[in-house]
């Protein structure tokens, strides 16, 4: 959108003495990625310094009129659709990184962007380098149109294609090694102003005219950020394969902690052939998420947990049967109880889906009955008390991620 700024100069009027301070930061990205990796190219040190500076000036009440000018770029590798997505996603990721670290941007955020490629920067790098066929590369950058158009009006990258094929691709391969790693970037320029009003000078008897300057510029206003929300709905594929339908939910709390609960209910029977396949119950788990993946995206990566579970069962496949708990009783009359510790890893597979692999080791105990079918009846054989230590939880779960911001970046989706 166009924003018109009117700057009015009142001659002989009051004025202010303004002190303007600026600061800047530039971070870099891996090929084809929009995630801000603190371990890459010194990003962590750069952002730590910039965040400290933001905290300092926002805490100082003397500063006014903050302005953030942000630009992001992609390098020339890859198709145009991907590069357009990347430079927009890198701007959003840069702002999200600041907010994830508890710093509120106090002023206006302007995204200054008209191209996903920084041609001016590329030209300057070529001028300062010993790139092969430098004169020909500069001629292409300066005099070749950026776009060409087909008969149907479709737009194609003409200047980029000329650079890629120039001299058999030798100059382009040089640029990929020496220029492009530092052209996949986001840069922010912070301007903050401190004003001290001075007493106005008196106007002369004659009235002097005002001077009005009109400045036009393109300004993109970003919407106010929505608070992220992380939730998952999942099903254990191993239970599903065993004909025991199940569902679970998991909520991210904070500081890489989450709370998970699951329920299963399988109730299949055929008295004629003495076939019973019954199991129902649930579990509650508290998890702590660990590692780089968990720091970058909640509900992803390694996790450790403590779980408690309650279940009952009745299994018979034509011969001896096993029933957990009191016959005909409620869940808690018939239940076996257990608990233990678990370890798992949640692997991103698509934009909204993970696969979670979990193994739990602990205790499972409770009363159970052995019986056999005879003459249309079920004859009790013996009652036992189970005290089991060992693996008591095994999951290969399909996890559906729900909530604003709860997506796996770089795993498909809208460009």
């Amino acid at each position: 959108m166009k924003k018109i700024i009117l700057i009015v100069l009142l001659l002989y009027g009051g004025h202010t003495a303004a002190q303007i301070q600026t600061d800047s930061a530039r971070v870099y990205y891996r090929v084809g990625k929009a995630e801000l990796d603190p371990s890459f190219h010194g990003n962590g040190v750069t952002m730590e310094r910039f965040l400290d500076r933001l905290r300092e000036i926002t805490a100082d009440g003397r500063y006014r009129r903050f302005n953030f000018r942000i630009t992001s770029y992609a390098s020339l590798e890859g198709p145009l659709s991907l590069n357009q997505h990347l430079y927009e996603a890198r701007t959003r990721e840069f702002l999200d990184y600041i907010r994830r670290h508890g710093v509120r941007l106090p002023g206006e955020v302007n995204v200054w962007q008209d191209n996903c490629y920084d041609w001016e920067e590329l030209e300057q790098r070529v001028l300062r380098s010993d790139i092969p066929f430098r004169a020909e590369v500069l001629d292409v950058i300066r005099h070749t149109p950026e776009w060409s158009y087909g008969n149907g009006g479709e737009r194609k990258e003409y200047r980029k294609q000329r650079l890629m094929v120039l001299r058999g691709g030798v100059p382009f391969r040089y640029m990929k090694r020496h220029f492009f790693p530092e052209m996949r970037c986001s840069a922010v320029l912070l301007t903050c102003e401190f004003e001290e009003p001075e007493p106005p000078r008196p106007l002369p008897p004659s009235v002097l005219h005002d001077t009005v300057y009109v400045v036009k510029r393109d300004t993109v206003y970003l919407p106010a950020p929505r608070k992220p929300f992380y939730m998952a709905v999942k099903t254990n594929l191993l239970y599903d394969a065993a004909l025991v339908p199940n569902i679970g939910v998991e909520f991210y709390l904070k500081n890489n902690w989450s709370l998970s609960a699951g329920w299963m209910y399988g109730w299949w029977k055929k008295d004629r052939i003495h076939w019973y396949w019954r199991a129902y119950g649930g579990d509650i788990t508290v998890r702590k998420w660990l590692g780089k993946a968990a720091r970058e995206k909640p509900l992803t990566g390694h996790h450790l947990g403590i779980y408690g579970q309650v279940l009952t069962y009745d299994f018979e496949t034509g011969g001896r049967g096993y029933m957990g708990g009191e016959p005909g009783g409620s869940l808690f009359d018939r239940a076996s109880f257990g608990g233990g510790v678990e370890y798992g890893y949640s692997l991103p597979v698509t934009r909204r889906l993970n696969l979670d692999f979990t193994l739990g080791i602990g205790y499972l105990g409770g009363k159970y009955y052995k019986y056999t079918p005879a003459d249309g009846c079920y004859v009790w054989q013996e009652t036992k008390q189970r005290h089991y230590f060992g693996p008591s939880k095994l999951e290969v779960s399909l996890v559906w991620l729900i909530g604003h911001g709860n997506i796996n970046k770089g795993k498909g989706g809208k460009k």
Side-chain angles (χ1 to χ4, degrees), residues 14-81:
H15 63 283
T16 59
Q19 300 177 1
I20 297 178
Q21 295 191 14
T22 62
D23 206 340
S24 62
R26 180 182 291 262
V27 295
Y28 303 95
Y29 301 90
R30 301 183 187 276
V31 179
K33 300 294 184 182
E35 292 81 4
L36 204 167
D37 185 350
S39 65
F40 181 67
H41 217 296
N43 288 341
V45 175
T46 298
M47 290 306 297
E48 183 177 359
R49 182 199 64 80
F50 187 65
L51 291 173
D52 287 344
R53 177 62 176 152
L54 281 180
R55 295 185 183 101
E56 174 187 333
I57 64 176
T58 52
D60 191 334
R62 297 176 303 164
Y63 289 96
R64 300 290 186 271
R65 298 185 184 178
F66 297 90
N67 184 271
F68 294 83
R69 169 176 169 166
I70 297 177
T71 53
S72 298
Y73 294 102
S75 56
L76 271 66
E77 306 109 308
L80 176 63
S81 59

Side-chain angles (χ1 to χ4, degrees), residues 234-253:
K234 53 190 177 180
T235 183
N236 187 348
L237 301 178
L238 299 180
Y239 287 178
D240 293 329
L243 301 180
V244 181
N246 65 99
I247 191 170
V249 294
E250 186 163 8
F251 295 94
Y252 181 77
L253 305 176

